[in-house]
Amino acid sequence: MKLHGDRVTAFLMLLPSLILLAIFVYGFIGRTAYVSTTDWGSNPAQALALEPQLEPVGAANYVGLFTSRFNARFRQDLVNTFFFTLFFLVGCLGLGLGLAILLDQRVRGEAVFRTIFLFPFALAFIVTGTIWRWMLQPQGGLNVLPTLVGLPKLELPWLTTRQQVWRFDWRHLPAYLAVIVALVLLIFAWRAWRNQRRGRGATLGVVALALGVWGGFGAPGLTFLPYSELHGFNVAFIGIVLAAVWQMSGYTMALYLAGLRGVPEELREAARSDGASEWQLYRHVILPLLGPITLSAMIILGHISLKIFDLIWAMAGSDNAVTDVPALLMYLRTFRGNQFAEGAAIAMVLLVMVAAVIVPYLWTSLRSEVRR
């Protein structure tokens, strides 16, 4: 009876939070999803009306984002987000792990170095963006550093360059994605086969082979655009990646350092007694133990990079198209262009991207908790 009473008390204590979450999170998500299926904003006379007359258009706004000639900027924004996420993750994980390994050597003044490396994480992205905007000015900052040692000044435009590398045709995107997914499936098939799960490995292998062949022939039957449209990595993003890595690498350092300190000393000594070198110790013992920390860091950093907004706003402004991302474009379309339906569609695309990163992690964590 007491247990039942405790559950009722706990439910009543949580009820206000549940109601607020239902209204201000999931209710607004539902409202945004509804708006994204209307024509709100297509008629300027109705855009700012107190009671706009909305007409349902189904998935037309989503189709337009990926196929319309007028939404090439959104597609480039997706490419920008992909490259930013890739370099941001690699930079933060690599630098964070390196700093953690150095601090784990019990160097003198470790607490001071740890505080210095972790301090940028305490800053807001808007502050980091302002600082790095000053440092990346074409007439100062990093460009004049070589003059301190007698070398000529650099002439890098940093955030304003329009140079683009690694360009590809958007029409071929389905083929590229099919090949990438096929390679991932092949890895899972190989791991399943090696773990004596032959049936699952064979199934995954057949699916990967079929997908790879389909992608190898150009993904016939699936074309987003009837014309060529080139996209690639905007070099202007290098400065933004540097600023983001500078801010978040201290956070990953703290995660890795906690993980390194959790590795039993007896395990290290046992590996050394078996003749393992320091490289082999980290390669075969310590780094595999840090796998869960790496996964957690990737999830957290990944969702930050997908919804990045304030850092780019502070560094390059909202009207610099070469450093644009979907979150900035959503703001511009919604609050400057009054294209509410299109802005809502971009927001839903962002939500799906973030959910694709977060939901599998939450699902895996929940299953682990249940098993315990």
Side-chain angles (χ1 to χ4, degrees):
M1 183 63 72
K2 185 177 186 303
L3 180 62
H4 179 72
D6 290 344
R7 288 180 175 177
V8 171
T9 303
F11 176 75
L12 291 176
M13 296 291 289
L14 290 174
L15 187 59
S17 300
L18 294 175
I19 293 175
L20 293 175
L21 276 174
I23 296 175
F24 293 104
V25 177
Y26 299 105
F28 284 177
I29 290 176
R31 174 66 177 173
T32 304
Y34 164 71
V35 171
S36 70
T37 61
T38 68
D39 65 342
W40 196 3
S42 59
N43 182 359
Q46 290 288 325
L48 297 179
L50 290 178
E51 296 182 358
Q53 302 298 317
L54 306 183
E55 296 293 335
V57 296
N61 290 315
Y62 296 96
V63 174
L65 288 176
F66 289 94
T67 62
S68 171
R69 184 184 295 272
F70 302 105
N71 282 307
R73 180 172 176 174
F74 171 74
R75 295 188 282 275
Q76 177 58 48
D77 289 355
L78 291 179
V79 177
N80 290 342
T81 300
F82 169 77
F83 281 112
F84 174 77
T85 301
L86 177 66
F87 293 127
F88 177 58
L89 286 179
V90 171
C92 286
L93 294 177
L95 187 59
L97 178 61
L99 292 174
I101 291 176
L102 289 176
L103 290 179
D104 192 45
Q105 308 306 313
R106 312 288 180 180
V107 297
R108 180 178 296 178
E110 177 197 328
V112 175
F113 288 116
R114 192 171 60 231
T115 303
I116 291 174
F117 295 145
L118 194 56
F119 177 72
F121 178 60
L123 300 177
F125 269 128
I126 199 77
V127 177
T128 300
T130 303
I131 295 171
W132 277 87
R133 182 171 186 168
W134 294 338
M135 294 177 64
L136 299 180
Q137 288 295 317
Q139 301 304 320
L142 296 183
N143 277 357
V144 300
L145 279 182
T147 62
L148 299 177
V149 293
L151 297 175
K153 188 180 76 170
L154 298 176
E155 299 293 341
L156 299 176
W158 292 107
L159 302 174
T160 56
T161 178
R162 294 191 171 276
Q163 184 182 356
Q164 201 174 67
V165 297
W166 303 329
R167 306 186 79 186
F168 66 95
D169 194 333
W170 185 264
R171 291 182 305 172
H172 300 152
L173 183 63
Y176 298 148
L177 292 177
V179 172
I180 292 173
V181 173
L183 291 175
V184 173
L185 289 177
L186 276 178
I187 294 174
F188 282 110
W190 175 74
R191 294 179 62 180
W193 189 272
R194 192 181 61 174
N195 294 331
Q196 305 302 320
R197 302 170 72 176
R198 301 296 172 83
R200 184 175 183 178
T203 303
L204 289 174
V206 171
V207 174
L209 184 62
L211 200 58
V213 171
W214 181 67
F217 281 98
L222 183 59
T223 304
F224 289 158
L225 295 175
Y227 49 85
S228 177
E229 184 179 284
L230 296 179
H231 296 284
F233 172 58
N234 287 324
V235 177
F237 260 90
I238 292 177
I240 296 173
V241 171
L242 288 176
V245 170
W246 176 79
Q247 169 140 7
M248 297 303 298
S249 58
Y251 169 71
T252 53
M253 176 214 69
L255 291 179
Y256 277 127
L257 187 58
L260 288 170
R261 294 289 162 80
V263 176
E265 191 60 30
E266 295 80 5
L267 196 60
R268 299 174 188 244
E269 292 301 326
R272 292 189 181 104
S273 300
D274 289 339
S277 63
E278 286 300 309
W279 164 251
Q280 291 172 326
L281 172 64
Y282 277 94
R283 170 68 179 81
H284 298 290
V285 178
I286 295 179
L287 292 183
L289 291 175
L290 297 179
I293 293 177
T294 301
L295 178 61
S296 300
M298 288 179 65
I299 297 298
I300 295 170
L301 295 174
H303 99 273
I304 289 175
S305 66
L306 290 176
K307 62 182 186 182
I308 193 75
F309 179 90
D310 40 4
L311 178 67
I312 298 177
W313 179 288
M315 291 187 69
S318 60
D319 299 316
N320 190 8
V322 294
T323 55
D324 203 16
V325 289
L328 272 174
L329 185 63
M330 176 193 66
Y331 172 83
L332 295 177
R333 294 282 170 86
T334 304
F335 299 108
R336 283 192 182 175
N338 298 327
Q339 302 290 322
F340 297 106
E342 198 170 291
I346 296 174
M348 293 307 298
V349 172
L350 275 174
L351 177 66
V352 171
M353 292 166 61
V354 173
V357 173
I358 296 295
V359 171
Y361 174 70
L362 294 179
W363 176 255
T364 305
S365 301
L366 182 62
R367 290 186 63 183
S368 301
E369 291 293 331
V370 171
R371 287 172 183 170
R372 290 175 188 172

